Structure formats: C-alpha cells, structure tokens
Amino acid sequence: EIAQCLVGSEMCIRDSDRAVRISLYSNRVGKMEEQKDHTEDPEAVKALEEKIKETQGLIDELLELFL
C-alpha cells in the first residue's frame, strides 16, 4: 500500500512538472507570435516562425506523454 502511494506521488510530481513546462512553452509561443506580428524584417519573421514551430513541437511531445 505504501509503495502504491509513493508511485502515485511520483506520477503526480512528474505530471505536474510536464504541465508547468507546457504552460511555459505556450506562453513563450504567444510572446513570439506577438513579436512576429510587430516585426517587419522578413528574416526576423522567418526566424520567429521557425522557433515557434520548434517550441510547438516540444509542447506536442509533452502532451503525448499525458496520453
């Protein structure tokens, strides 16, 4: 019974960490989208789009771990 409780606690901590990272990455994507919307330099826009895509990929990977 104690072992089950410890395993449950470990899973909760792990899932909590993933949720925090998803939130942080999502906020980062939002900030980059906003920055992209106010940037006129095509090279800077392209770099932001690539970084947004990369960060969204990290979010997707973390979300898959929840399933």
Side-chain angles (χ1 to χ4, degrees), residues 12-45:
C12 182
I13 291 167
R14 183 195 64 217
D15 290 346
S16 175
D17 178 58
R18 288 179 185 154
V20 168
R21 283 194 272 160
I22 289 169
S23 178
L24 290 172
Y25 289 149
S26 295
N27 287 337
R28 186 180 298 171
V29 167
K31 289 177 182 179
M32 287 187 290
E33 288 281 359
E34 188 175 318
Q35 186 178 4
K36 185 183 85 165
D37 291 343
H38 293 94
T39 301
E40 295 181 17
D41 178 16
E43 292 297 319
V45 169

Side-chain angles (χ1 to χ4, degrees), residues 43-60:
E43 292 297 319
V45 169
K46 184 176 180 180
L48 283 166
E49 287 173 343
E50 289 175 11
K51 196 69 173 166
I52 289 167
K53 184 177 179 180
E54 176 184 323
T55 306
Q56 189 60 53
L58 293 172
I59 293 169
D60 292 344

